Amino acid sequence: MHVPDSATVRRPLANTWRSLPLAIFLTAYFLWFNWGSLRVRFALDDLANLRHYFEIPAAQLILSNFLPWRGDYRPLGALFYLPIYRFAGLNPVPYQAALLAVLLLNVYFAYRLMRLLGAGELSAALVALICCYHGGVANLYYNAAFVYDAMCCCLYLAALTFYVGIRGRDRLPGVGQTLVFLALLLAALNAKEMAVSIPVMLLVYEWVYHAPAKKDRQSLVGWVRGPARTIWFAAALVLLDVYPKVAGPAAMTAAEGYRPVFSLERVRTFQVALLQDLFFSWSWKPGWAFIVGLYAVMAYIAWRHASRPVLRFLFCYLLVAPLPIEFLPGRREACFALLMFGGAAFASVVLVDGIETAVRFVAGVFKLPVRRGVLVGVMVAAVAFLWVREQRDLRRSIGGDPMTTLGWESWDIVEQMRASSFHPRPGSSVAFLDDPFGTLDMYTLARLWFHDRSVNIRGVNRVPITQEELARMDYVFKFEGRKLIRIR
């Protein structure tokens, strides 16, 4: 089996994509698969997220992105939602387009990181192709409420790409480069909590690619003061971000959905969901024997050749990256964005290596006149074709439901609001006599519709209104068969 030597792994890349046709093909393929998601409506979580950021003063939102010790909830989301809301209001298309732009950037960083880690051109291209669309994490591509996962994945890969690009040239990050890396790390943390594993992945990278030749005390001290210094800065930043979220007065772990349960049963539940989504087999429930056996085989493959560090790095990545969510309930699909990359990367490297080995053997035995590289490319292209066909079928299966039915609870009301020219006076009061929603009250939509924090909004399902209070309202609305009617 052909493997790159260490010099090849560390060689700087003159051209990230290596081929303009490859970049054009991947972009076209990505758009072909995902363009239809621009028709998707708002999910209820989108409106709740948007209102959350709208209620917070702009200065506080900006500062939250630079003050991790405050423990504010995913402040980078404000930089996604609010600028679009300012010019597009309740039109879902620009939000979805921005999500697709982030996901397309993920494809770029997936390819770039793989090349920097020493994977071949075909392996990296195959990983990028898989990241363009993976049916097991389909809601990542059509539900803008999962923009946190998309941004975290993008920034996670960007931070690793930036760091590996420097260390791959046998250099240590300078002061400016360290600050850039920490900025990427902070942005990833502000997007979603899964980024807390980045310092551990730096440690894995240093251990796999740049381990000291000697393991004596002097070498260890030199490593701590030199190559490991960025890791310590990153770890300190992560601790600043994590502490208020697990022990602060408004800790996320106080909520049921963010409270970890450290048990083997929770691990198995997570691994079953992960394998089901990544392998598109949702009726399959693997047991412990399969799960442990799979990781054992992967470990054997990763450590079989000492000159194949990329597989060892990716194996550790698949163990480390899920830790922040592995003990939480109900995580699957879009939450597996980072793991989708890791699984695709490991499988692609093994697949291409296997094809190269098989071609080398067959060509040697049968003296084939065809060049080995051409034959390998044809076989990889055949695998890619089968993958694309499978994804097309999976994509068609969600073409109507749930993708195009997303947001049905609120969309007819949103359309009426967008068509209305009504704008209440600043400081005025508005009452809604009905609330047509079960999980999203009229208050949330009204706040976003009016786009004015000074307007006082009242609704019978939020706070009861007396007849005397109703008489003092400047504007009053009601619903008849979900039709919004202004009665004052």
Side-chain angles (χ1 to χ4, degrees):
M1 186 179 296
H2 172 71
V3 294
D5 58 24
S6 58
T8 303
V9 171
R10 291 177 171 83
R11 187 177 301 147
L13 302 177
N15 188 321
T16 299
W17 291 99
R18 292 293 181 92
S19 172
L20 181 60
L22 175 62
I24 294 173
F25 168 76
L26 289 173
T27 302
Y29 172 73
F30 177 89
L31 294 176
W32 175 52
F33 256 86
N34 298 303
W35 191 258
S37 62
L38 293 177
R39 302 191 304 270
V40 175
R41 304 160 181 170
F42 283 118
L44 294 183
D45 285 345
D46 279 316
L47 297 171
N49 293 338
L50 187 51
R51 179 199 155 192
H52 167 75
Y53 295 119
F54 174 73
E55 299 282 9
I56 302 173
Q60 181 178 336
L61 287 172
I62 294 173
L63 285 176
S64 295
N65 280 280
F66 299 96
L67 306 176
W69 53 86
R70 291 168 55 101
D72 294 322
Y73 179 78
R74 299 176 183 174
L76 194 69
L79 302 184
F80 172 84
Y81 280 107
L82 292 184
I84 301 175
Y85 175 61
R86 184 170 182 83
F87 75 82
L90 294 177
N91 180 2
V93 176
Y95 299 88
Q96 193 65 31
L99 172 65
L100 293 183
V102 174
L103 291 171
L104 185 57
L105 198 57
N106 280 350
V107 176
Y108 165 79
F109 283 121
Y111 176 89
R112 172 97 169 123
L113 179 59
M114 288 298 292
R115 295 295 288 127
L116 288 169
L117 290 172
E121 188 81 30
L122 288 175
S123 298
L126 197 55
V127 173
L129 181 76
I130 294 172
C131 289
C132 283
Y133 185 83
H134 189 295
V137 294
N139 57 355
L140 179 69
Y141 303 91
Y142 69 78
N143 190 339
F146 290 103
V147 69
Y148 303 108
D149 299 89
M151 291 191 300
C152 181
C153 182
C154 181
L155 291 161
Y156 195 112
L157 298 182
L160 290 181
T161 298
F162 183 77
Y163 182 85
V164 173
I166 297 169
R167 294 292 289 125
R169 296 191 294 269
D170 283 326
R171 299 177 182 173
L172 296 179
V175 174
Q177 292 170 324
T178 300
L179 291 177
V180 170
F181 171 79
L182 293 177
L184 290 171
L185 171 58
L186 179 59
L189 290 167
N190 289 338
K192 194 173 181 181
E193 300 70 35
M194 280 194 73
V196 298
S197 62
I198 289 180
V200 181
M201 289 314 304
L202 296 191
L203 190 62
V204 169
Y205 173 79
E206 290 294 336
W207 170 60
V208 171
Y209 285 86
H210 301 281
K214 297 181 179 180
K215 302 300 189 292
D216 56 18
R217 183 176 181 277
Q218 183 177 357
S219 298
L220 181 60
V221 170
W223 179 81
V224 169
R225 293 179 176 176
R229 64 190 182 193
T230 304
I231 300 174
W232 310 136
F233 289 132
L237 182 57
V238 165
L239 289 175
L240 280 176
D241 181 82
V242 167
Y243 179 78
K245 293 178 180 177
V246 300
M252 293 178 64
T253 51
E256 184 65 29
Y258 294 97
R259 187 177 302 127
V261 175
F262 299 102
S263 69
L264 286 176
E265 182 57 32
R266 181 61 60 84
V267 172
R268 181 178 180 273
T269 301
F270 179 88
Q271 291 295 329
V272 168
L274 176 63
L275 293 173
Q276 287 177 337
D277 287 349
L278 294 190
F279 289 102
F280 325 117
S281 182
W282 292 279
S283 61
W284 170 51
K285 289 190 176 181
W288 273 117
F290 182 89
I291 295 171
V292 174
L294 175 63
Y295 280 98
V297 170
M298 292 171 62
Y300 170 76
I301 294 173
W303 268 266
R304 184 183 179 192
H305 291 285
S307 57
R308 207 56 169 143
V310 59
L311 289 175
R312 295 196 293 279
F313 177 86
L314 291 171
F315 177 81
C316 294
Y317 176 95
L318 288 170
L319 293 181
V320 171
L323 289 177
I325 63 171
E326 191 158 8
F327 300 94
L328 301 179
R331 290 339 189 240
R332 62 184 317 156
E333 286 195 82
C335 297
F336 296 154
L338 281 168
L339 301 177
M340 180 263 291
F341 159 76
F346 193 95
S348 296
V349 173
V350 172
L351 174 68
V352 173
D353 283 355
I355 290 175
E356 289 177 346
T357 301
V359 167
R360 189 178 304 109
F361 173 78
V362 172
V365 172
F366 296 99
K367 308 297 182 184
L368 297 178
V370 182
R371 292 178 58 186
R372 293 178 184 174
V374 174
L375 191 54
V376 170
V378 170
M379 294 182 69
V380 172
V383 172
F385 172 78
L386 294 175
W387 170 266
V388 171
R389 188 174 65 176
E390 176 72 14
Q391 300 313 300
R392 181 198 61 189
D393 294 341
L394 288 170
R395 186 69 169 78
R396 287 175 176 173
S397 71
I398 66 161
D401 184 21
M403 188 177 79
T404 55
T405 59
L406 194 71
W408 64 268
E409 303 96 332
S410 60
W411 183 242
D412 57 333
I413 310 299
V414 172
E415 283 186 312
Q416 294 177 63
M417 291 176 172
R418 291 179 59 201
S420 173
S421 59
F422 172 73
H423 295 287
R425 297 189 313 272
S428 59
S429 56
V430 183
F432 291 88
L433 301 184
D434 310 281
D435 185 347
F437 307 109
T439 57
L440 176 76
D441 63 10
M442 197 61 224
Y443 181 82
T444 292
L445 269 181
R447 291 288 278 173
L448 299 176
W449 176 23
F450 301 149
H451 203 165
D452 187 343
R453 296 188 185 92
S454 70
V455 175
N456 178 31
I457 301 169
R458 300 290 299 276
V460 293
N461 284 357
R462 184 175 176 84
V463 178
I465 304 176
T466 65
Q467 289 299 320
E468 292 77 9
E469 291 173 323
L470 186 61
R472 294 195 296 270
M473 293 288 109
D474 297 303
Y475 311 98
V476 179
F477 290 85
K478 71 175 183 177
F479 286 91
E480 290 185 358
R482 292 185 68 88
K483 183 178 180 180
L484 181 63
I485 299 175
R486 178 180 171 185
I487 60 178
R488 182 189 304 166

